Amino acid sequence: MLRRLRISCQPRVGVRGMATALPRKGWPVQIRAPVQWGDQDAYMHVNNCQFYRWWESAHIAYLQTIGIMLKGNAKDENGAIIARSECNFLKPISFPDTVTVCCRATKLGNTSLSVEYLLINNLGESCATGSAILVLFDYVAEEKYNINDELRAKVMDLENNAPDIAAKE
């Protein structure tokens, strides 16, 4: 006799050992960055490597906001390692311009934080979106570490109070 299992596709919120989906209400980290002439490639638009540098700056700012990577260098005991990263290019960016790099968390795992990014040009146009999975890492013990309840609460508070940003589609 076969039994039917009831499986929910919705993550359970706030349960340790399960993924915690986050609200995606706004963008808690918004960094303004000037486009440098040297950021461009031979085609006179910003090279794809620069987008990943902007993503990195944004998620480090996010981590610092929740108390991780406060020194921002190898002297930090705790940090994060990028397990996966991607970028969706929507519109080219060229010098001169100033971009806004936005970052927010989308999911909390046991040892990981999933984030997404939005890159907006000076005209308010969305130029790129991206995402990453950051694994929290203890550099002294040389191992990943669990997201505790205090850190989970900091992320939830940050996401629940995140400001919105207007971007033209």
Side-chain angles (χ1 to χ4, degrees):
M1 175 188 228
L2 294 174
R3 278 201 246 166
R4 280 199 160 148
L5 296 176
R6 293 174 58 120
I7 299 173
S8 172
C9 293
Q10 297 295 322
R12 293 168 54 193
V13 177
V15 178
R16 185 173 290 150
M18 300 286 293
T20 302
L22 298 169
R24 294 184 180 182
K25 292 180 180 177
W27 297 94
V29 170
Q30 299 177 25
I31 299 170
R32 302 269 299 155
V35 175
Q36 304 293 325
W37 185 86
D39 293 340
Q40 299 178 112
D41 57 21
Y43 298 103
M44 298 310 292
H45 61 265
V46 171
N47 184 277
N48 60 345
C49 294
Q50 183 59 41
F51 287 76
Y52 287 96
R53 288 185 193 110
W54 286 327
W55 292 166
E56 184 178 54
S57 294
H59 74 242
I60 288 173
Y62 190 100
L63 292 170
Q64 289 176 330
T65 302
I66 60 172
I68 299 171
M69 292 187 72
L70 296 177
K71 296 174 186 166
N73 60 37
K75 293 183 180 181
D76 281 302
E77 292 179 11
N78 294 321
I81 294 174
I82 301 169
R84 180 177 187 279
S85 185
E86 70 178 43
C87 183
N88 304 301
F89 303 97
L90 307 174
K91 187 175 185 77
I93 299 171
S94 299
F95 174 84
D97 202 346
T98 300
V99 296
T100 301
V101 187
C102 306
C103 180
R104 65 180 168 200
T106 58
K107 186 172 72 173
L108 282 168
N110 290 329
T111 61
S112 65
L113 177 68
S114 296
V115 296
E116 67 182 355
Y117 310 104
L118 173 64
L119 187 72
I120 301 168
N121 67 13
N122 222 15
L123 299 175
E125 300 167 321
S126 297
C127 296
T129 61
S131 63
I133 298 173
L134 310 174
V135 176
L136 301 186
F137 197 77
D138 180 330
Y139 288 102
V140 175
E142 295 185 347
E143 62 187 14
K144 59 187 178 179
Y145 66 91
N146 287 325
I147 297 173
N148 61 29
D149 292 337
E150 179 185 351
L151 185 56
R152 210 169 274 281
K154 285 181 183 179
V155 171
M156 293 297 289
D157 184 54
L158 185 61
E159 292 300 330
N160 284 323
N161 296 300
D164 198 10
I165 190 162
K168 295 178 184 177
E169 295 301 325

